[in-house]
Every structure is written in structure tokens, then in C-alpha cells.
Amino acid sequence: MPRWLTVALTLIVYAAVMAVLALVIRGTVPPGIDWLDSKLGSNGTWVLLLVIVIPAGIYGYWPRRPDGSMRRLRSPWD
């Protein structure tokens, strides 16, 4: 298979998968948030979302070594 065809097919398949994923997310997340809001209330929903997002952000922005492993954070007082 020529390289240009491989690249074109890869882009087409990627776009199709992302379109399906977008449809699934649009169909499930808003009703899920509405359900969670009705069960926990507005403040409870925000707290739960922040409890999930804050550790994920810390994990994502944690310094890493070139091989991908996590580094220890140094204290500014060391």
C-alpha cells in the first residue's frame, strides 16, 4: 500500500472514530451530570467533579524524567 494511501486512510479512520466518540459523549455526559445534580445537588456535583479533576491535573502536570517516570518534587526549603 502506498504511503499516501496509508496516511489518508489513517486520517479518515481517526476522524470517524472521533465523530462516534463525540456522539457518545454528547449523549451520555449531559444526562449524567443532570442525574448527578438531582442526586447530590449542585454543590455536591461540583465537589465530586473537583475531587476528580484536581488529582488528575496534579498527576498530569507532575514533573517527569525523560523516560516518562515521575520525579520527586523538591521542597523550596531544601
Side-chain angles (χ1 to χ4, degrees):
M1 183 181 307
R3 178 155 171 80
W4 68 268
L5 185 56
T6 304
V7 171
L9 286 176
T10 301
L11 291 173
I12 291 168
V13 170
Y14 176 79
V17 169
M18 289 298 115
V20 170
L21 185 61
L23 288 173
V24 169
I25 288 173
R26 282 189 203 141
T28 57
V29 172
I33 295 294
D34 291 340
W35 175 83
L36 194 61
D37 200 34
S38 71
K39 297 295 179 188
L40 298 178
S42 181
N43 290 338
T45 301
W46 275 108
V47 167
L48 181 63
L49 290 175
L50 289 176
V51 162
I52 293 169
V53 168
I54 289 173
I58 290 170
Y59 178 78
Y61 287 108
W62 198 273
R64 299 177 192 273
R65 294 185 184 94
D67 66 353
S69 61
M70 298 259 192
R71 291 185 183 166
R72 287 188 62 203
L73 279 182
R74 291 190 172 184
S75 169
W77 299 279
D78 285 343

